[in-house]
Amino acid sequence: MPHRRSYHHGNLREALIEAAITLIEQSGPHSFSLAEAARRAGVSAAAPYRHFKGRDDLLEEIARRGYVEFAETMERAYADGRPDPLAALARVGERYLQFSRERPGYYMAMFESDISITAHTELYAAEQRSIGLLIRASEALAERLPKDDRPPSRMVANHIWAMSHGVVELFSRGKQGARSPISAEDMLSSGVTIYLRGLGLLGPADQPRAGG
């Protein structure tokens, strides 16, 4: 456990954030308290109030950081749609699942904490970076269709996001998906394929494989 010198060195804010992330990973975003984070950081229960108004303020900062890192990860995966938007979209899906596994504390703060995204400007901006990437991917895929036949890009993006989140929930933390003979990646890929093909965004031979 970190001890009080973290505070004296001016790192209390970061120590509290790291402590809270660990607590979220252990028991979820609703179960930890600011006092528990303070104990784990090795400071008094009053010390966190130098940096955070309360528990929700700390949770919002973790969610904000999570969304920023998430958006950067998704943007690197998409790589401006190279070599083609379908392959790029497949990479994005794989990175979505990877982020949920590797950064569970952030992921839970982002999606399971019930904080209001639209009520916080920085949170909203970070979240829109991620959905914006899926919108760009949807627009690129729709270019093969006549303009009047193209589905709304935000609708497509939201549906793909919902599928990704659903797969994470199905496979996360010992849930029933962990016993499935189908991997999370294959389940997401097949679901996105069926959806996009139904919208006419894929040809008969197209498959959203990450590849190169």
Side-chain angles (χ1 to χ4, degrees), residues 55-193:
R55 175 190 172 281
D56 287 349
D57 194 29
L58 173 56
L59 188 58
E60 287 158 14
E61 174 59 14
I62 293 168
R64 185 196 67 79
R65 292 187 180 200
Y67 270 115
V68 169
E69 183 177 323
F70 182 72
E72 291 172 350
T73 298
M74 298 297 101
E75 287 167 351
R76 287 194 298 270
Y78 189 68
D80 294 326
R82 297 189 298 267
D84 62 76
L86 191 56
L89 184 61
R91 288 196 303 272
V92 167
E94 290 180 355
R95 295 292 175 84
Y96 190 110
L97 299 178
Q98 184 180 8
F99 182 89
S100 72
R101 294 186 189 112
E102 294 180 354
R103 309 293 267 170
Y106 279 135
Y107 191 88
M108 284 187 273
M110 292 157 62
F111 297 115
E112 300 176 18
S113 63
D114 298 329
I115 61 175
S116 172
I117 301 297
T118 55
H120 302 87
T121 303
E122 291 186 25
L123 262 178
Y124 181 73
E127 187 244 13
Q128 287 300 297
R129 281 180 65 187
S130 301
I131 195 67
L133 184 145
L134 291 177
I135 290 171
R136 293 205 307 272
S138 303
E139 290 171 344
L141 287 170
E143 286 179 357
R144 68 175 65 192
L145 298 177
K147 284 189 177 181
D148 290 343
D149 294 337
R150 295 175 186 176
S153 56
R154 181 170 285 274
M155 177 198 77
V156 176
N158 285 336
H159 287 172
I160 292 175
W161 189 308
M163 276 190 275
S164 303
H165 188 69
V167 170
V168 169
E169 286 302 300
L170 186 63
F171 281 80
S172 66
R173 298 185 288 285
K175 293 181 181 176
Q176 61 266 37
R179 300 189 294 274
S180 171
I182 302 171
S183 70
E185 286 77 9
D186 286 345
M187 185 173 290
L188 179 58
S189 177
S190 61
V192 170
T193 299

